[in-house]
Amino acid sequence: MNMHSKTDLRELSYAEAIREAMDLAMASDERVILMGEDIGVYGGAFGVTGDLVEKYGTDRVMDTPISELGGAGVAVGAAMTGLRPIFEFQFSDFATLGMEQIVNQAAKIRYMLGGAVSVPVVMRFPSGSGTGAAAQHSQSLEAWTAHVPGLKVVQPATPEDAKGLLLAALEDPDPVMIYEHKLLYKMKAHVPEGYYTTPIGKAAVMREGKDLTIVATSIMVHKALDAAAKLAEDGIDAEVIDLRTIRPMDRDTVLASVRKTGRLICVYEAVKTLGVGAEVSAMVAESDAFDYLDAPIIRLGGAECPIPYNPELEKAVVPQVPDILEAARNLAKGRV
């Protein structure tokens, strides 16, 4: 990532950082357009696009009909003609209606046309639980798209990375899927001014430690950091890695950490089975870092059920700080 001085920093919310990235991109490149349901006058279901329609007009900030398949198809076609569309799904769950365009078109066109055409489309997915939106509006489906060759998949955990990864995605010649956790939209942090990019495919070591490694994604990065602070009071020194990108995954950073600590926990909100943690675990098991493990790998993922509407049940089906603490203490003490 580009370096900035402290004087360059201002406090922005995660949503404001995304809007600033889109504003910067649109101001500097007329090929950048925004598309999605209710992103214009309404400003987006979560207020992320805000008043950009007033600044750039309806030719560049386009409300699409309630047809995810149709909207995604227009975005893919626009990208093929040389535009740089950013398509927002109102909820990540609704991408299920547009999977034909994402999986069979966007991801395949460069390959099928022998590299003659690229598809520089960015798709944004408000995802995750915690808002009481029930089973059809609360899923974490990033592993679905990460399974598909031809797509890049990122999960920004901080306002700074939400801005930097979006700008990097707009520079990329291939489709980039950005999963934004809905509970992060109001999170505030210092964000550099101006244009910068956060490299796609590079994880961040958020906290250094020597006793165990916690690899986390999205909102779970913050829960892992909270847990690590409490673990430190017990004399357990946890290293926390924010994957940031799940395809392509930063193999080197993860393996280096595991070689150092000898213990690994993977924490992610999506359903545990066949999730990001399974890929991280396999990556370690298939490398020399496996020889450094002093205990089995632990995966902490979502429960094998839809997200409940009831707020207490909703919390219960995804990992929380106490779950990370229990797993880490057991792992550090050899009770796995």
Side-chain angles (χ1 to χ4, degrees):
M1 183 165 49
N2 301 349
M3 299 302 292
H4 300 267
S5 68
K6 290 183 179 179
T7 57
D8 291 328
L9 302 174
R10 307 121 321 131
E11 191 171 73
L12 293 181
S13 72
Y14 189 101
E16 289 168 340
I18 295 168
R19 182 159 62 251
E20 183 168 271
M22 293 190 292
D23 193 1
L24 282 168
M26 295 181 79
S28 62
D29 187 346
E30 63 181 14
R31 297 175 301 168
V32 178
I33 60 172
L34 309 184
M35 301 174 59
E37 295 169 10
D38 294 330
I39 69 164
V41 175
Y42 188 65
F46 297 95
V48 177
T49 46
D51 61 357
L52 289 178
V53 68
E54 296 175 18
K55 188 170 183 178
Y56 296 103
T58 54
D59 286 345
R60 295 185 66 195
V61 182
M62 291 179 277
D63 280 316
T64 60
I66 303 177
S67 172
E68 286 77 14
L69 179 62
V74 173
V76 171
M80 290 176 65
T81 68
L83 294 176
R84 295 269 172 171
I86 303 173
F87 184 81
E88 176 185 324
F89 287 92
Q90 201 168 65
F91 289 83
S92 66
D93 315 64
F94 299 170
T96 54
L97 294 158
M99 288 296 267
E100 149 65 19
Q101 291 298 324
I102 297 168
V103 174
N104 289 333
Q105 305 302 328
K108 307 287 192 296
I109 286 170
R110 180 197 275 273
Y111 174 80
M112 294 183 72
L113 297 183
V117 175
S118 62
V119 187
V121 66
V122 176
M123 294 186 173
R124 296 180 41 242
F125 304 85
S127 66
S129 66
T131 62
Q136 296 169 328
H137 298 72
S138 304
Q139 297 169 88
S140 299
L141 300 176
E142 62 278 353
W144 285 23
T145 47
H147 186 69
V148 181
L151 302 178
K152 293 171 183 172
V153 183
V154 300
Q155 288 187 278
T158 66
E160 180 176 356
D161 284 346
K163 179 181 174 181
L165 283 167
L166 177 52
L167 290 172
L170 283 166
E171 291 184 1
D172 200 284
D174 293 309
V176 180
M177 313 287 109
I178 303 179
Y179 288 83
E180 304 159 1
H181 200 288
K182 298 191 292 286
L183 289 184
L184 292 177
Y185 280 138
K186 293 182 180 179
M187 174 192 171
K188 291 190 174 183
H190 288 107
V191 177
E193 290 182 5
Y195 190 99
Y196 66 90
T197 58
T198 301
I200 293 173
K202 181 65 178 172
V205 179
M206 303 294 281
R207 184 188 192 279
E208 293 193 358
K210 66 181 190 310
D211 293 331
L212 58 90
T213 298
I214 305 174
V215 173
T217 57
S218 190
I219 197 169
M220 292 299 159
V221 172
H222 303 285
K223 294 182 181 181
L225 288 169
D226 289 347
K230 292 180 172 64
L231 290 169
E233 298 171 6
D234 297 345
I236 300 171
D237 190 16
E239 181 150 297
V240 177
I241 294 175
D242 174 6
L243 275 182
R244 297 201 291 200
T245 303
I246 62 170
R247 186 182 186 105
M249 200 174 283
D250 185 351
R251 171 186 170 92
D252 293 344
T253 297
V254 173
L255 298 186
S257 181
V258 172
R259 291 188 196 104
K260 178 171 68 170
T261 68
R263 293 176 173 86
L264 174 62
I265 300 175
C266 306
V267 189
Y268 50 107
E269 180 170 319
V271 173
K272 177 180 175 180
T273 301
L274 296 171
V276 172
E279 183 62 29
V280 173
S281 301
M283 185 171 68
V284 171
E286 293 171 351
S287 75
D288 71 296
F290 179 78
D291 296 330
Y292 291 78
L293 286 174
D294 296 322
I297 298 169
I298 292 177
R299 287 182 295 153
L300 291 179
E304 306 292 321
C305 70
I307 300 293
Y309 176 62
N310 177 281
E312 292 306 312
L313 293 177
E314 185 179 28
K315 290 178 186 175
V317 299
V318 299
Q320 304 293 345
V321 172
D323 302 313
I324 302 172
L325 283 172
E326 181 182 12
R329 286 168 178 153
N330 287 339
L331 189 63
K333 295 173 183 175
R335 293 200 297 254
V336 178

